[in-house]
Structures are given as structure tokens and as C-alpha cells.
Amino acid sequence: PDVEKAFKFYTDVLGWYPIMAPTLVKEDPTTAAGQMCIHVFGKGFGGYKICHLSTSDKIGVELFEFPTKPKANHVFDPFKTGIFHFCIQDPDVEGLVKKIIAAGGKQRMPISYFY
């Protein structure tokens, strides 16, 4: 829900690379970006914040923050549509998990090694 905090977490804690810092995009039919957003979100979306990041293995991540957002529901439900987990490859997984928890993240399961 807060792109600024998420951007800081992913860059400071996970070491992801910033591609574009959090930026406000406004609904504007006179710009190419504004026109594209109107096509995607429809007229009346107003605007949003967006940032772009990259992982060390070149996976791009785009985060959005819309001003009209539903109230946060922090109940874990893996059957809902959307991201409910992701994997991280790191030379020090245990150390990274400690860093994530210290920064307010959650560890939902023990560290597993499948190979």
C-alpha cells in the first residue's frame, strides 16, 4: 500500500536495484504515458505512484500505489488471486531471513533446501 516504504524495503533489505524511484503518474490524455494508463485503468483513475526495481538476476518488478485502495486485510489466504509468495536466491539465506524479519517482514515457513 505504500510504494515509498516498499521501495526502501526492497532496495535496503533485499538489495534490489532501483530502476525508477517512486514517481507520481497523473491521468493526462495529452501524454503518451497518460494515454496508455487510461487504456489500462480506464478514465477516472486519477493517478498513482509507481516504481521499478530489478533483482540481482535481472527480474523486473513494478509496484503500484493507488490513492483509492481497499482497507488492508492482513489475513493470509493463498487461494486469493495475486502474489502470495515469491522465492529468493541468496548466498546467505539465513542471514537474509534475519534481515527481513528485523525490517518488519514475516517468515511464514522454515527455510527449505530442495537440491
Side-chain angles (χ1 to χ4, degrees), residues 102-114:
K106 295 180 183 175
Q107 180 179 2
R108 297 208 178 267
M109 59 182 282
I111 296 169
S112 302
Y113 296 95
F114 298 104

Side-chain angles (χ1 to χ4, degrees), residues 15-31:
W16 290 7
Y17 301 97
I19 306 288
M20 182 180 80
T23 303
L24 179 61
V25 175
K26 294 181 180 179
E27 182 175 355
D28 183 355
T30 65
T31 66

Side-chain angles (χ1 to χ4, degrees), residues 7 10 16 22 30 45 48 53 62-64 67 75-76 89 104 115:
F7 184 82
Y10 289 119
W16 290 7
T30 65
F45 74 90
Y48 59 88
L53 301 142
E62 196 173 47
L63 302 175
F64 294 85
V75 176
F76 178 64
Q89 182 175 342
Y115 53 91

Side-chain angles (χ1 to χ4, degrees), residues 2-57:
D2 187 324
V3 166
E4 303 280 344
K5 286 181 182 177
F7 184 82
K8 184 169 175 43
F9 176 83
Y10 289 119
T11 55
D12 292 354
V13 178
L14 297 184
W16 290 7
Y17 301 97
I19 306 288
M20 182 180 80
T23 303
L24 179 61
V25 175
K26 294 181 180 179
E27 182 175 355
D28 183 355
T30 65
T31 66
Q35 291 171 11
M36 184 226 17
C37 292
I38 291 168
H39 288 296
V40 173
F41 303 113
K43 289 183 179 179
F45 74 90
Y48 59 88
K49 286 185 184 176
I50 185 172
C51 68
H52 295 211
L53 301 142
S54 175
T55 65
S56 61
D57 54 352

